[in-house]
Amino acid sequence: MPTLTKIYSMEEVAAHNKQDDCWIVIDGKVYDVTPYMDEHPGGDDVLLAVTGKDATDEFEDAGHSKTARELMEEYFIGELDEASLPEIPELKIYKKEEPKDSVQKLVDLTKQYWLVPVSVITISVAASVLFSRKK
């Protein structure tokens, strides 16, 4: 027969953040490590640093033994409600535009700044008309 597990929010876990009331979260499971504070080989400072928080990274980084992992089960009191975790915003991915060749850039600039080519053509026509009459 399956046992029902108590579900805690991260807010509830965060409220238990003192020496005499110390809860931590490891891999989505909530542990009341208050009675273990004096027995912890790394000292109670290590547990106090992560009390009321998700200590998964710190626990894994410490390289705990199989015995330590089995001992954790004595202090298991429930699971973390995943919905209580802060939502991580979705990353936006931007596609970098392919660089345009210089001819295409010139065409784009010409379309944007049409006055420049029109002025060049006008001056060229005017100059050719003025200089062709003197002959």
Side-chain angles (χ1 to χ4, degrees), residues 35 68 75 80 90 92 126:
Y75 304 102
L80 185 65
E90 187 176 325
K92 293 180 181 177

Side-chain angles (χ1 to χ4, degrees), residues 11-85:
E11 220 173 68
E12 288 175 287
V13 174
H16 300 272
N17 60 1
K18 297 174 183 58
Q19 172 103 20
D20 60 343
D21 185 21
C22 182
W23 289 13
I24 61 174
V25 175
I26 298 173
D27 290 325
K29 294 182 177 182
V30 180
Y31 299 91
D32 181 356
V33 294
T34 308
Y36 189 63
M37 296 290 281
D38 294 331
E39 300 170 27
H40 188 266
D44 61 354
D45 302 8
V46 176
L47 294 174
L48 284 172
V50 293
T51 185
K53 301 176 186 169
D54 187 333
T56 303
D57 291 339
E58 290 83 350
F59 182 81
E60 295 300 334
D61 289 348
H64 286 88
S65 65
K66 183 179 178 185
T67 307
R69 293 175 188 277
E70 291 170 357
L71 181 64
M72 287 172 51
E73 294 308 312
E74 292 179 33
Y75 304 102
F76 175 77
I77 58 170
E79 293 187 14
L80 185 65
D81 179 13
E82 298 295 326
S84 72
L85 296 175

Side-chain angles (χ1 to χ4, degrees), residues 84-118:
S84 72
L85 296 175
E87 190 172 319
I88 299 172
E90 187 176 325
L91 293 176
K92 293 180 181 177
I93 300 173
Y94 295 96
K95 183 178 177 184
K96 190 173 182 179
E97 287 186 27
E98 295 293 322
K100 296 180 180 179
D101 62 337
S102 50
V103 174
Q104 185 61 43
K105 285 181 184 178
L106 185 61
V107 169
D108 290 345
L109 286 172
T110 304
K111 287 179 184 174
Q112 187 175 0
Y113 301 105
W114 59 270
L115 186 58
V116 174
V118 169

